[in-house]
Amino acid sequence: MNVLVINAGSSSLKYQLLDVDTREVYAKGNCERIGIDGSFVGHEEMGGEKQKLEVALPDHKTAIKYVFDILKTVDKPIGGIGHRVVQGGWYFPESAVVTDETLAQVREVAPLAPLHNYAEADVIEICRDMFPEIGNVIVPDTAFHYNMPERAWRYALPRDVVDKYHVRKYGAHGTSHRFIWRTVHELMGEKTHKLVSCHLGSGASLCAIEDGKCMDTTMGLTPLDGLIMGTRCGTVDPATVFYLNRVGGYSIDEIDTMMNKQSGLLAVSGVSSDSRDIEAGAEKGDEHCQMALDMFYYRTSQLFAEMAASMEGVDTMAFTAGIGENSPEMRAGVARRLAWMGVKIDDEKNAVRSDEPRVISTDDSAITVMVVPTNEEYMIALDVEELLG
């Protein structure tokens, strides 16, 4: 089955057309700066060169039309469309076929992820209108975490407030964490029962997975919680918001922008939100860059132990996403902080760059350490095939 996977953001739209059975990617690309001057489409077909096409993209409907036009050259019939939805809220414990009802639910929970869900709902509606004969599937990033134990998802707030406003830990990156579990279990079999999946990128989260079930994760009501990230501060004392508002004079919107877009590795390093720039700065002796790395190692190892505690043990950890897959320095830094738990990585194995999942720990490491390139698009396509196939 050929599936078109769409990931829509507030001003962007990524797409990938792939064969679920063979995993062949026929075409992929991205529409950037939608609704902004200088918009363009980046497109790549299997075996072909990357193209950058400067086109006017005033809205997502125009972008989707352009994607379908450009995919005509691929000449592969589309059997279904899978939509990555950032926030499934209280409606989606699993992926679901798009209906009038499920689409309305995506919009209803959009206040939890306003920059993403509204755009995603619009794109789903456009796809239904343009191609009513093709089925669509919603794949929420939060679904994998939905059934974690109540002790993990519930906040100690008044029950009437929690119930009325659906305040709970929702998590994120669930599609990636689910793919990591699937891949690790295929490779390790019965050697893995308690896995901590480490999705480390500009957005970052850890997930405790016991025999395929999410037991806890580090992101909360929103993706701001948990680890230090590229521009997000991660966990801070909640009263910091009140203090900055009352004493600093910052508005709620200003604090929201500060914590989501001006904090994290960018704020600590004073150089960049990109770990590659920070590592280069630290190598040149920049103390702020080194502190950013030290804080990232510390916080990741700290929350790793928290995830292990949620399962009362851990036998495997897997690094994934942009930093987790591509930075040997970051992996080594986190591993050093976990040496007290018996984590040992092989420096030579850690230095290898590969698109294949692999073990990088030593034979005598108490915890098996792996690098597993994530593939959220394939995971979404599998759900589409299961629900529409």
Side-chain angles (χ1 to χ4, degrees):
M1 182 180 190
N2 298 329
V3 174
L4 176 63
V5 176
I6 296 177
N7 181 358
S10 57
S11 61
S12 65
L13 187 149
K14 298 178 183 177
Y15 61 92
Q16 189 173 117
L17 178 62
L18 68 154
D19 184 317
V20 180
D21 299 321
T22 65
R23 295 201 187 191
E24 283 184 287
V25 177
Y26 297 122
K28 61 182 179 180
N30 56 303
C31 303
E32 297 290 345
R33 301 180 64 83
I34 298 172
I36 306 171
D37 290 342
S39 58
F40 66 90
V41 176
H43 179 76
E44 181 181 359
E45 295 181 17
M46 187 172 60
E49 294 183 1
K50 293 181 180 179
Q51 306 173 52
K52 183 177 178 180
L53 310 166
E54 295 183 2
V55 292
L57 301 173
D59 50 40
H60 283 81
K61 186 171 186 178
T62 306
I64 278 289
K65 286 181 177 178
Y66 204 94
V67 168
F68 277 104
D69 283 342
I70 202 170
L71 287 177
K72 288 177 182 177
T73 64
V74 181
D75 194 28
K76 296 290 182 182
I78 298 172
I81 305 173
H83 299 268
R84 178 194 180 227
V85 172
V86 167
Q87 178 56 261
W90 51 95
Y91 284 120
F92 295 96
E94 57 190 5
S95 300
V97 174
V98 174
T99 63
D100 291 343
E101 181 183 11
T102 57
L103 181 55
Q105 290 167 343
V106 171
R107 293 192 187 280
E108 185 180 341
V109 303
L112 289 168
L115 294 180
H116 293 86
N117 269 46
Y118 288 119
E120 287 154 0
D122 288 346
V123 167
I124 293 170
E125 193 165 26
I126 293 164
C127 289
R128 294 179 82 199
D129 290 343
M130 288 178 62
F131 300 96
E133 72 281 4
I134 302 177
N136 291 261
V137 171
I138 295 163
V139 183
D141 249 5
T142 53
F144 184 57
H145 308 301
Y146 187 88
N147 290 313
M148 73 176 88
E150 185 175 352
R151 62 179 179 268
W153 65 253
R154 179 171 288 279
Y155 290 136
L157 294 169
R159 283 186 177 270
D160 58 337
V161 173
V162 169
D163 293 343
K164 182 178 180 179
Y165 297 103
H166 305 282
V167 179
R168 58 162 284 170
K169 178 183 282 193
Y170 288 104
H173 299 138
T175 306
S176 175
H177 290 305
R178 187 157 55 104
F179 176 81
I180 299 307
W181 167 262
R182 185 180 189 275
T183 303
V184 169
H185 201 251
E186 283 179 352
L187 291 171
M188 305 302 292
E190 291 303 308
K191 292 181 180 179
T192 295
H193 291 283
K194 299 180 178 183
L195 166 73
V196 176
S197 173
C198 307
H199 182 107
L200 306 180
S202 57
S205 69
L206 306 184
C207 183
I209 309 172
E210 184 170 359
D211 291 327
K213 176 179 170 60
C214 172
M215 302 303 290
D216 202 352
T217 189
T218 55
M219 285 182 168
L221 176 74
T222 75
L224 184 59
D225 199 10
L227 292 167
I228 297 169
M229 300 172 230
T231 61
R232 295 182 185 131
C233 60
T235 301
V236 296
D237 180 350
T240 305
V241 176
F242 317 141
Y243 179 80
L244 290 173
N245 177 247
R246 293 169 182 158
V247 179
Y250 293 94
S251 70
I252 294 300
D253 286 342
E254 286 172 333
I255 297 170
D256 191 352
T257 299
M258 179 195 303
M259 291 186 166
N260 276 287
K261 298 182 178 179
Q262 300 167 353
S263 299
L265 295 175
L266 172 65
V268 179
S269 71
V271 170
S272 173
S273 62
D274 192 310
S275 65
R276 292 167 293 189
D277 297 333
I278 297 170
E279 288 172 9
E283 200 169 310
K284 293 175 182 176
D286 187 312
E287 293 181 359
H288 296 313
C289 287
Q290 187 58 56
M291 178 54 66
L293 297 179
D294 289 344
M295 288 176 67
F296 188 83
Y297 304 155
Y298 172 72
R299 193 73 183 122
T300 303
S301 63
Q302 187 182 41
L303 289 179
F304 178 90
E306 189 176 305
M307 292 298 101
S310 73
M311 301 183 288
E312 299 181 353
V314 56
D315 49 52
T316 310
M317 70 183 297
F319 289 100
T320 192
I323 297 173
E325 294 173 26
N326 299 305
S327 176
E329 293 81 3
M330 283 288 192
R331 295 194 295 262
V334 173
R336 284 195 298 271
R337 295 281 325 178
L338 292 171
W340 65 276
M341 292 183 72
V343 172
K344 299 179 183 178
I345 62 171
D346 184 303
D347 291 337
E348 290 186 8
K349 292 179 181 177
N350 185 41
V352 172
R353 295 187 180 275
S354 171
D355 293 332
E356 297 298 320
R358 59 201 184 277
V359 174
I360 61 169
S361 50
T362 61
D363 293 340
D364 61 341
S365 178
I367 297 169
T368 301
V369 184
M370 302 182 67
V371 179
V372 183
T374 193
N375 192 336
E376 293 164 280
E377 290 80 11
Y378 178 65
M379 200 74 238
I380 291 170
L382 283 174
D383 285 3
V384 173
E385 183 180 55
E386 181 179 344
L387 291 171
L388 299 180

